[in-house]
Amino acid sequence: MSRTILITGSTDGIGLETARMLVSLGHHVLLHGRNPAKLEEVERTLAGLAGADHVESYLADLSRMDDVETLAKAVTGRHSRLDVLINNAGIFLTSEPVTQDGLDVRFAVNTIAPYLLTQRLLPLLGTSGRVINLSSAAQSPVDLEALAGRVRLSDDYDAYAQSKLAITQWSRRMALSLKDKGPAIIAVNPGSLLGTKMVKEGFGMAGKDIRIGAEILIRAALSDEFETASGQYFDNDSGQFAPPHRDALNAEKSERIVQAIETTLAESGHPGTLV
């Protein structure tokens, strides 16, 4: 059965490979990117694999919450149902670490934007959909002041690792709050040091086959083994569901993360909906 799947950050790396494989399997893939020329090229290429009716694209800069809102409205305007949302877009090294809203871009793109997008698309996902959030083996305790943009983190890796723990925390907290009233929400570490642009630029190495990451995202999106895994964390380095960082299992700390995200969104004019 063909499913409708939105993949953020799908113009390169793991996102692109995941999109390519899903289109080849006959699924309807909603591409997302922030470079219009690149997005058009990817849409044209993938449409050639299985027909133009299997692919559509959406332009948005996820460091800008206005763009996140526009993306959600555009998807909602064209679809009454979304089977899977894969929050794949991510950023590590950048020459512009602060967004126009004054946020650390790692928290904005890796944590806050996927939270807002998920909130806005919950009605389309219903109770049978899935949200797959890209986590990482890199997870560090979150500085709430840094998440809110009031403190600057000087270490790129630390900012990235904090943002990945934060998305893992809100994934579990939202899943436990929604229970059977919403989609399954699962955080996935797709594999360490895969051959993405992020790894090549950040660590100066070719990295491992990105299909390792794409294959686990497809399993998480489609396979029965993930159907009842809402709130869990899958570690693809070990190939199994595993405990995330201990802070993600701490209900109080995870609640504070969600509250900080909600406050940050409200202050930028984009209030979420606590669940």
Side-chain angles (χ1 to χ4, degrees), residues 92-93 193-207:
F92 176 25
L93 290 182
L193 299 177
L194 301 182
T196 63
K197 181 172 67 175
M198 186 184 300
V199 165
K200 292 171 183 176
E201 292 178 351
F203 297 95
M205 59 188 298

Side-chain angles (χ1 to χ4, degrees), residues 118-185:
T118 300
Q119 288 277 10
R120 296 298 188 252
L121 295 179
L122 282 176
L124 271 63
L125 289 157
T127 59
S128 61
R130 296 185 196 181
V131 177
I132 311 303
N133 286 333
L134 268 285
S135 182
S136 171
Q139 298 177 28
S140 295
V142 180
D143 182 335
L144 296 179
E145 294 293 292
L147 187 153
R150 291 188 287 269
V151 169
R152 299 282 173 248
L153 297 175
S154 59
D155 185 276
D156 292 308
Y157 182 84
D158 186 38
Y160 176 80
Q162 288 193 37
S163 73
K164 287 302 183 180
L165 176 55
I167 193 173
T168 306
Q169 288 182 270
W170 79 244
S171 298
R172 180 172 172 81
R173 194 274 187 184
M174 188 181 291
L176 294 177
S177 180
L178 286 170
K179 296 181 181 178
D180 59 354
K181 295 180 181 178
I185 302 174

